[in-house]
Amino acid sequence: MEQIKRIDTVKQYNEHIGVDTLHPLVSVVNFNEIPKVIHFKMYIGLYIIFFKNIKCGDMMYGCQSYDYDEGTLVFISPGQVYGIDSKGVAMKPSGYALVFHPDLIKGTSLAKTIQQYTFFSYAVNEALHLSKKERSTVIDSLKKIAEEIDQHIDKHSKTLIVSNIELFLNYAMRFYDRQFITRSNENKDILMKFEALLQDYFESDKARQYGLPSVAWCANELNLSANYFGDLIKKETGNTALDYIQSKLINEATTRIFDPTKSISEIAAELGYKYQQHFTRLFKQKLGVTPNEYRNLN
């Protein structure tokens, strides 16, 4: 079994790749200044954002790999496993990495909002691909953070560094929104596959066997991370993925209710509900009447 190195501090990460540590909680690494890299895999206890501007091996993220090309951002959050596989050939990386410890943002506004940047939980093959103008913005932001790290630490350092990181993340959010829009055709294809997946789930006996399909299960079936899938569905439909699943379920329910040979409890079981009252509650929440009232009205 391949050994996975554990990296829990900025200093450990810097030592691993061979750069000096100027601040104990944050670092901006210029890959043009480090030696060639062959292969490594590590468990990360840090936030890391990689900006890669040339191809330099396949990035491993969990059990997946991403053959990244020119101008991409990849986001890693604490608790994830990642690495570089250069196929055994020493390669010279190019680009930057922004590395910061969770303690850096403690007590700041970013600590309260960091979960809103859902791209930290995207799979590596869902990386952000940048335009030339966006690459320039990213590099400028990283250089500002690096310049502040180079200063002598004073009472303003943390505020200025964290503010610049937050600005960087907000740019990334804007760029991801642009990517969702420009990939409209691909997104519609995923939406069609999602619709077909739910159709098959409810028409087969899967709902009765396994219960309601979760957002995470649907995302996995479509080879997407749950957060990326959820954000994509929200951008395309205006509703959450859970709302979409529930709407599909209610649509199925309104069709089956007209079968007089089936009781409401039987329909609920067919659609994945262990308890009829949970089905009735959702039905009334969505349509304003109970299943029995809907059957009688129609």
Side-chain angles (χ1 to χ4, degrees), residues 10 13 25-29 46-49 97-101:
V10 170
Y13 180 83
L25 298 178
V26 60
S27 178
V28 173
V29 177
L46 309 165
Y47 289 98
I48 305 181
I49 303 165
L98 170 60
V99 185
F100 62 96
H101 194 279

Side-chain angles (χ1 to χ4, degrees), residues 4 41-42 59-65 76 80-83 124:
I4 298 177
K41 196 168 187 180
M42 59 180 68
M59 179 173 284
M60 307 301 296
Y61 183 98
C63 297
Q64 296 181 333
S65 66
I76 309 292
Q80 296 174 349
V81 174
Y82 96 101
V124 72

Side-chain angles (χ1 to χ4, degrees), residues 259-292:
D259 185 346
T261 66
K262 293 182 179 179
S263 67
I264 300 302
S265 61
E266 188 176 355
I267 293 170
E270 287 178 355
L271 295 173
Y273 280 92
K274 188 176 181 180
Y275 302 106
Q276 179 191 329
Q277 59 265 37
H278 295 165
F279 167 67
T280 299
R281 186 182 305 129
L282 177 68
F283 195 98
K284 187 170 184 178
Q285 177 188 329
K286 294 292 184 181
L287 298 183
V289 293
T290 67
N292 270 320

Side-chain angles (χ1 to χ4, degrees), residues 5 27 48 78 118 153 214 216 251:
K5 186 171 184 177
S27 178
I48 305 181
T118 50
I153 297 176
S214 67
N251 185 58

Side-chain angles (χ1 to χ4, degrees), residues 81-205:
V81 174
Y82 96 101
I84 296 292
D85 185 2
S86 56
K87 314 299 184 186
V89 179
M91 305 191 76
K92 179 67 175 174
S94 177
Y96 295 86
L98 170 60
V99 185
F100 62 96
H101 194 279
D103 286 351
L104 177 73
I105 63 174
K106 279 186 177 179
T108 70
S109 61
L110 182 56
K112 300 174 183 177
T113 61
I114 191 71
Q115 298 302 322
Q116 296 177 15
Y117 301 102
T118 50
F119 41 74
F120 274 109
S121 296
Y122 288 178
V124 72
N125 61 327
E126 298 156 354
L128 176 59
H129 297 258
L130 302 170
S131 69
K132 185 175 181 180
K133 186 175 181 180
E134 290 167 351
R135 288 199 298 269
S136 178
T137 299
V138 164
I139 292 171
D140 287 345
S141 296
L142 290 172
K143 286 182 177 178
K144 286 179 182 177
I145 297 169
E147 287 171 4
E148 188 56 42
I149 294 171
D150 283 338
Q151 304 289 330
H152 292 296
I153 297 176
D154 58 29
K155 65 180 182 179
H156 302 289
S157 298
K158 179 175 178 176
T159 300
L160 292 169
I161 291 171
V162 172
S163 295
N164 276 290
I165 291 174
E166 192 167 14
L167 178 62
F168 179 92
L169 295 176
N170 287 331
Y171 275 125
M173 188 174 285
R174 168 189 278 180
F175 299 158
Y176 255 118
D177 282 347
R178 183 271 309 156
Q179 181 162 293
F180 279 121
I181 293 170
T182 56
R183 292 187 170 187
S184 180
N185 289 337
E186 292 91 337
N187 295 346
K188 284 181 171 57
D189 184 51
I190 292 171
L191 196 58
M192 289 174 62
K193 290 179 180 178
F194 181 32
E195 176 71 22
L197 181 70
L198 292 177
Q199 190 73 30
D200 173 72
Y201 195 91
F202 288 119
E203 286 182 354
S204 67
D205 201 37

